[in-house]
Amino acid sequence: MIQKKKILIIGGGFAGIAAAKRFLVSSFARKKFDITLVDKNNYHTFYPSFFKIIAAKNIDPSRIFSVAAIKFEDIFKKDKIEILKNEVKDISFKTNQAVLKVNGLIKRVNYDYLIVAPGKEIKNHFLSLGSFEDVLKIKFLLENVFKNRTKKEKINIVVGGAGLTGVGLAAGLFECARGLARPGRANFKLIERGPEILPAVSSWTRESAEKVLNKMGVKIFTNSRFEDFEKEADIFIQATGTVPSRLFKSDFAGHKNIFVIKASTAQSAVHQGKYVADAIIAKEKKKKIKDYKPNRNIYVLELGFMDAFVDLGLIKLKDIPAQWFHQLAFLRHMVGILGWRQAYAWFKKYCRIS
């Protein structure tokens, strides 16, 4: 019996899941490889749902979890893949092993091919939006602030970082405040270190978002330092400040069996994950590996419950058509990892959040 080669995927985010699924739908890869996925959680975190969850008035934590966290056992129900709930502490290039710490003990996992896609870590002293627990913390803090202040007292809510995460978060916080009390009780400020908000999107998307934020009463400050607004804030949430995972400090250059994925959006992460899987399969088939081509830029932005924008280039959508496009994109992603039945069940729960 021919011994299978071992593929180790570090990270169960968008890129890691996309790569694993790509291998598992290939009959060649299923015969050729044993696949192991390592993640510190036992679930895939669906970050795009965070904004809608924050905006919701009242929602049960268990319902939030079922939308924001998709268990690996559901994603890979019928697939032959090993899932390890651990953090990778180090990589040994000489022995082709990942070093894991399990209950205080060191465990080494062999690999022939390594895919490094652990996402990013958040390192700052501010409240941030990096995990499911952070979402609950933000909602709890917001509810307490409104509950313990008199109606005449103004509440200062500041978001540091005006990329896709920061802008979406600011709109979500506005919707949440509207559900708790009149938004007029709060001052919303969006702080950007650079010269403009949403630097990674099209000018039409950026201008449309600015109009919505102005309508919500969110004051935008560019070329500004977060520290200058920290003292006056009742709630300060940093929506940037992510740094590459410490694994990226390792020097992977020159190791032809290691593929590192660094993506700034879910869309890009999925695209890169699929490309890496295809490249490894092509290598094993002794075929030429195709050059990587970035996927087409589709700018999608949803702000609160009412406003959404989609820029497809010649075609531009807003409001309800854009919301439908956004939701269908989510559904498509879930169908790809869960199958139609489970994806539809998830989609119904997501759409009920309000």
Side-chain angles (χ1 to χ4, degrees):
M1 185 177 178
I2 300 174
Q3 187 175 7
K4 292 184 177 182
K5 292 191 174 182
K6 299 182 182 296
I7 292 179
L8 178 61
I9 302 172
I10 300 175
F14 287 95
I17 295 295
K21 282 291 185 178
R22 197 72 159 189
F23 287 122
L24 292 166
V25 298
S26 164
S27 58
F28 175 85
R30 290 197 302 271
K31 294 174 184 176
K32 189 76 175 179
F33 305 123
D34 281 327
I35 302 168
T36 299
L37 186 146
V38 181
D39 195 278
K40 62 182 178 181
N41 301 310
N42 62 355
Y43 56 83
H44 165 63
T45 303
F46 190 66
Y47 290 103
S49 66
F50 284 1
F51 309 119
K52 193 168 185 180
I53 291 169
I54 287 174
K57 295 178 184 177
N58 293 302
I59 188 168
D60 179 62
S62 62
R63 275 186 62 204
I64 297 176
F65 188 82
S66 67
V67 171
I70 320 299
K71 293 183 178 179
F72 292 134
E73 64 186 53
D74 292 329
I75 295 174
F76 299 109
K77 187 176 290 183
K78 298 179 181 179
D79 297 317
K80 192 174 181 182
I81 182 173
E82 182 183 20
I83 306 294
L84 299 178
K85 182 187 174 185
N86 290 110
E87 279 195 83
V88 177
K89 298 298 181 183
D90 198 6
I91 304 293
S92 173
F93 300 122
K94 290 184 179 179
T95 60
N96 280 355
Q97 291 179 320
V99 181
L100 282 62
K101 196 169 185 181
V102 185
N103 298 324
L105 301 174
I106 295 299
K107 178 178 179 178
R108 295 178 181 272
V109 180
N110 298 322
Y111 65 83
D112 292 292
Y113 290 102
L114 175 65
I115 299 174
V116 183
K120 296 186 176 183
E121 298 172 344
I122 296 175
K123 291 184 178 180
N124 56 65
H125 64 281
F126 300 117
L127 183 64
S128 57
L129 187 65
S131 68
F132 170 73
E133 290 75 18
D134 289 335
V135 174
L136 295 181
K137 192 185 297 182
I138 289 169
K139 285 187 70 67
F140 178 77
L141 181 60
L142 203 62
E143 289 170 5
N144 268 353
V145 168
F146 275 95
K147 183 180 178 181
N148 295 322
R149 295 291 181 90
T150 65
K151 292 182 179 181
K152 293 182 178 180
E153 287 183 282
K154 282 282 187 178
I155 298 166
N156 293 310
I157 299 172
V158 181
V159 175
L164 288 167
T165 300
V167 170
L169 177 59
L173 291 169
F174 172 85
E175 293 283 6
C176 185
R178 183 157 61 179
L180 293 170
R182 292 181 179 178
R185 284 185 59 192
N187 293 322
F188 295 92
K189 295 179 181 179
L190 182 61
I191 317 302
E192 171 55 41
R193 290 187 176 120
E196 61 184 9
I197 70 168
L198 296 170
V201 306
S202 66
S203 58
W204 177 81
T205 307
R206 182 183 308 112
E207 291 165 7
S208 300
E210 286 179 344
K211 289 178 183 177
V212 172
L213 292 171
N214 288 331
K215 186 174 67 177
M216 289 178 171
V218 178
K219 294 181 179 179
I220 299 170
F221 297 84
T222 56
N223 294 314
S224 300
R225 292 170 6 112
F226 296 166
E227 294 77 9
D228 294 339
F229 296 84
E230 184 183 2
K231 290 183 180 180
E232 67 182 54
D234 295 295
I235 299 175
F236 190 108
I237 305 170
Q238 186 160 337
T240 183
T242 57
V243 297
S245 167
R246 62 184 169 71
L247 284 175
F248 289 144
K249 293 179 182 177
S250 301
D251 183 10
F252 294 110
H255 299 279
K256 294 183 179 180
N257 64 333
I258 299 178
F259 296 79
V260 180
I261 297 176
K262 299 180 182 180
S264 58
T265 66
Q267 181 185 1
S268 175
V270 170
H271 187 66
Q272 289 185 43
K274 291 178 179 178
Y275 171 79
V276 166
D278 289 342
I280 292 173
I281 292 171
K283 188 174 181 180
E284 284 297 313
K285 287 183 176 180
K286 301 189 184 308
K287 292 183 177 180
K288 183 181 178 181
I289 298 175
K290 295 179 180 178
D291 293 335
Y292 176 74
K293 294 181 180 179
N295 53 337
R296 177 189 170 195
N297 286 329
I298 298 176
Y299 304 109
V300 182
L301 182 64
E302 191 170 33
L303 300 176
F305 291 118
M306 302 300 294
D307 298 284
F309 307 97
V310 176
D311 188 349
L312 301 170
L314 294 176
I315 301 173
K316 293 175 173 53
L317 306 174
K318 62 180 182 179
D319 302 329
I320 292 176
Q323 288 177 329
W324 288 347
F325 185 97
H326 204 203
Q327 292 173 0
L328 286 173
F330 288 172
L331 180 59
R332 181 186 176 192
H333 172 72
M334 287 300 166
V335 169
I337 66 174
L338 292 173
W340 273 105
R341 183 176 295 180
Q342 281 186 283
Y344 182 63
W346 174 90
F347 186 65
K348 287 195 294 184
K349 287 187 286 187
Y350 174 80
C351 290
R352 289 192 192 110
I353 299 174
S354 60

